[in-house]
Amino acid sequence: MKAALIAGLRRFSARVPFVSRVLQRYFARPLGRYPRPLGSEIKAVADVLHSGRWNMTSGQAHLRLESEFAAYIGVPHAVAVNTGGMALQMSMRALGFRAGHEVVLQVDTCSATAFAVMNAGCTPIFADISPETFMLPRTLGALAGPDTRGLIATHMWGNPENMAAVANLGASHGLTIIEDACLALGARSNGRMAGANGKVGIFSFGCIKPIQGGEGGMIVTHDEALARELRSLRHWGDRTLDFGVRDTTQLAWNGRMSEIVAAVVSEQLKGYPRYLRDLRDMLADFQHFLENVDGMELVLGSGTSVEDCAFTQVVVRLDERKLKRKKAELRELLAAEGIGTWHANFEAIPSLSFFKNETWRDWILLNLARAAQNYRSDFPVHQEVYDHSGIGIAKMHFASPWRFRSLKSKLGAVLAKR
Ligand SMILES: Cc1ncc(COP(=O)(O)O)c(C=O)c1O
């Protein structure tokens, strides 16, 4: 009797991982858990742990992920790395950017992008944003100087940048384009996936990103030679694996992705198309909802419909006059209802103490006058969007139909108070 009971308990506990997987799969969605398991993440991690191949140098999980990711983006090569920032640094090194070269980026993208530029030995130059797309302006004016080599286009919060226009801008100044798609997995620009338009596209799987692996990054490219160079750069530049020579020709980093992370990201990617479809359906509904609100409009970047966007944060244009309310007041009212909002983009990077207090001078050693002038400039369009006309609604409020209904009803109630 006792033996039968113990055997029964053993059988039950053996089923617990299965039960837990089922619960995660079917209840995470209606309850709006975020980040949400989108495939069989727990089993995939267990498989890697049981295999004993935890590192990229011995495991196969990163190879599977690279081929699935390349297929999803529609490019021949994907190189798995440990963060999005590392993806940027390695890309700049592999593309031949060197100390003193300048790279232009929008002034209010994530500060990680500017720091990655600096950690690659280059100088970030900030551009004010377009009032239409909240991304790169349509002209660079005097921003591109003799040492400017690159232009980073960020698909902000999953809204697509117009990559055809960016390519023209780059061509007119002789700049290599890097596509920062860290926030934009699945977004589309000019008929292609975000990341597939420039010389390289980069992605992150860290926190707040479209899919998450507890950190991680990816570089995609159409260029086979570049992909090889990138693969050697992630092993401190060692060329044994990719060139058959034990030698190092570049200053490099450890950019390797863990096999455990690769397994999680693979499973996240499997469930992502369906997840994105559901999210876009909700956003189509939200766009319709906002059509009846005088003073609020969904921002899609250069996208023509919600089908072009990844909505890592939902960006809305405000007209304070029509709303008869300041952005700051609206944010406070929404916060009181439990609705988390932020700005449409990030703060201006030169407003951070590192730039304001001139600490950057410890690290940028060339072309100082140009950098100083750029960092002390005004960025009026950014300032207007940051202070008044751009707001971001946390993706968490779109994590389930239930949460989305609650968002609409609370937003409706706040707006009715005017
Ligand atoms: C636009 C953008 N680029 C790059 C990064 C850097 O990615 P990671 O945090 O994985 O280094 C981030 C995220 O922090 C980001 O939002």
Side-chain angles (χ1 to χ4, degrees):
M1 175 69 183
K2 193 173 156 201
L5 195 63
I6 289 170
L9 278 173
R10 278 218 184 102
R11 269 204 304 280
F12 178 73
S13 60
R15 279 197 199 121
V16 167
F18 172 73
V19 172
S20 126
R21 278 208 302 280
V22 170
L23 289 176
Q24 298 236 27
R25 173 78 63 86
Y26 294 102
F27 288 94
R29 183 163 179 265
L31 292 177
R33 180 175 153 191
Y34 176 80
R36 186 195 303 171
L38 298 174
S40 296
E41 284 84 350
I42 294 171
K43 179 178 179 308
V45 168
D47 288 349
V48 171
L49 293 178
H50 290 311
S51 77
R53 295 169 180 232
W54 299 3
N55 304 315
M56 179 178 268
T57 42
S58 57
Q60 303 285 309
H62 74 283
L63 296 176
R64 279 194 299 275
L65 170 63
E66 286 174 344
S67 99
E68 292 157 2
F69 200 88
Y72 181 61
I73 301 298
V75 291
H77 309 286
V79 179
V81 294
N82 50 16
T83 63
M86 181 55 69
L88 271 167
Q89 289 170 59
M90 282 175 42
S91 300
M92 283 179 266
R93 183 75 24 96
L95 287 167
F97 293 16
R98 293 291 176 268
H101 287 164
E102 296 169 351
V103 179
V104 177
L105 48 136
Q106 76 175 75
V107 69
D108 51 6
T109 181
C110 181
S111 57
T113 307
F115 276 7
V117 170
M118 291 183 67
N119 281 318
C122 303
T123 304
I125 295 289
F126 302 117
D128 202 0
I129 56 172
S130 145
E132 282 83 38
T133 61
F134 295 176
M135 286 177 263
L136 284 175
R138 289 295 154 254
T139 58
L140 291 185
L143 282 182
D147 288 323
T148 313
R149 295 295 152 88
L151 182 59
I152 299 183
T154 306
H155 299 282
M156 279 303 294
W157 294 116
N159 283 341
E161 174 61 277
N162 182 341
M163 289 310 295
V166 170
N168 286 336
L169 201 58
S172 59
H173 295 278
L175 308 179
T176 302
I177 311 292
I178 297 178
E179 232 179 315
D180 182 343
C182 282
L183 297 167
L185 181 65
R188 293 192 155 269
S189 173
N190 310 115
R192 279 191 181 181
M193 283 283 200
N197 297 273
K199 189 83 177 155
V200 292
I202 69 126
F203 296 84
S204 164
F205 310 122
C207 63
I208 327 179
K209 300 305 185 303
I211 61 175
Q212 304 189 26
E215 306 303 343
M218 191 69 78
I219 311 171
V220 298
T221 179
H222 295 271
D223 182 334
E224 187 174 353
L226 190 68
R228 260 179 128 199
E229 191 64 37
L230 286 163
R231 283 196 297 268
S232 88
L233 279 176
R234 73 184 166 187
H235 297 298
W236 287 111
D238 179 60
R239 298 171 92 76
T240 312
L241 284 177
D242 293 289
F243 295 86
V245 188
R246 179 156 170 76
D247 192 15
T248 303
T249 58
Q250 302 254 32
L251 181 63
W253 305 263
N254 173 359
R256 290 185 289 263
M257 174 186 273
S258 145
E259 287 290 286
I260 299 164
V261 168
V264 176
V265 177
S266 251
E267 295 304 317
Q268 286 268 295
L269 185 63
K270 277 186 196 137
Y272 188 65
R274 179 173 170 205
Y275 167 75
L276 190 54
R277 207 173 58 223
D278 292 349
L279 183 62
R280 284 172 173 160
D281 285 349
M282 257 183 252
L283 263 298
D285 184 334
F286 192 56
Q287 189 176 33
H288 188 59
F289 172 87
L290 292 183
E291 275 162 16
N292 297 316
V293 177
D294 204 17
M296 287 181 98
E297 177 200 12
L298 191 64
V299 176
L300 302 176
S302 72
T304 52
S305 87
V306 295
E307 298 302 315
D308 293 327
C309 306
F311 300 112
T312 306
Q313 177 182 249
V314 174
V315 177
V316 172
R317 191 189 309 275
L318 302 180
D319 183 328
E320 291 181 331
R321 200 179 45 80
K322 287 185 181 161
L323 283 169
K324 300 191 180 66
R325 203 163 258 147
K326 295 280 180 208
K327 168 181 166 179
E329 190 197 348
L330 181 67
R331 289 191 68 205
E332 269 173 31
L333 289 169
L334 291 172
E337 293 291 336
I339 298 176
T341 63
W342 208 55
H343 299 284
N345 292 353
F346 292 84
E347 61 282 285
I349 299 172
S351 73
L352 300 170
S353 294
F354 177 80
F355 286 93
K356 240 179 21 204
N357 301 346
E358 310 249 318
T359 312
W360 61 269
R361 287 179 185 275
D362 294 345
W363 305 100
I364 292 176
L365 305 174
L366 298 164
N367 289 344
L368 295 183
R370 251 178 72 74
Q373 187 197 14
N374 180 248
Y375 301 163
R376 288 189 205 126
S377 292
D378 290 329
F379 299 92
V381 182
H382 153 78
Q383 209 56 54
E384 160 65 21
V385 173
Y386 191 80
D387 292 339
H388 303 291
S389 60
I391 194 171
I393 302 177
K395 186 179 180 176
M396 184 179 293
H397 298 295
F398 299 83
S400 72
W402 163 70
R403 280 182 175 236
F404 177 47
R405 268 195 302 277
S406 157
L407 166 71
K408 282 190 295 186
S409 100
K410 288 174 172 173
L411 184 54
V414 164
L415 293 170
K417 281 186 195 157
R418 47 183 156 163

